[in-house]
Amino acid sequence: MISSTKEQQEREQRTVALLKRFENSLPPDRIETCYSLATHLESVVALEILLDNLYEFDVTPMPKELEEIKTLCGDLGVDKKFWRHW
């Protein structure tokens, strides 16, 4: 089933909001890649890359951020292996 434009916009907004929380925790080029993907209908890939980068750069999400990550990833169908580190 193809997502509606409204659903796609909601995914994008939620993903971008999460990305903003980590702007100062990752190198600019890494976060920009995620933004680019999220705003081009690739929110799942953007989240996967974000989570890989957080792990790679030893960034531990705060409890509230981790809950947001789990909720958003669950809603978008992102595999749990991407947040298993926390």
Side-chain angles (χ1 to χ4, degrees):
M1 184 169 122
I2 297 175
S3 298
S4 71
T5 302
K6 184 177 179 179
E7 289 171 335
Q8 290 171 347
Q9 289 173 340
E10 180 189 350
R11 286 181 183 176
E12 179 182 318
Q13 290 171 351
R14 290 175 64 199
T15 304
V16 167
L18 182 62
L19 291 170
K20 286 182 180 184
R21 295 177 71 87
F22 295 102
E23 280 183 338
N24 296 320
S25 302
L26 296 172
D29 64 317
R30 301 289 180 110
I31 204 78
E32 285 301 320
T33 297
C34 293
Y35 276 126
S36 179
L37 288 164
T39 58
H40 288 93
L41 305 177
E42 293 291 347
S43 292
V44 171
V45 177
L47 287 172
E48 291 171 351
I49 291 172
L50 170 67
L51 297 173
D52 278 344
N53 282 309
L54 293 175
Y55 179 72
E56 180 180 341
F57 286 92
D58 200 28
V59 177
T60 302
M62 299 300 289
K64 183 176 179 172
E65 294 167 335
L66 187 55
E67 285 306 312
E68 289 179 40
I69 287 168
K70 289 179 179 181
T71 299
L72 183 56
C73 288
D75 291 349
L76 298 182
V78 175
D79 194 309
K80 291 179 182 180
K81 71 180 181 182
F82 288 98
W83 71 79
R84 71 177 180 269
H85 314 292
W86 304 290

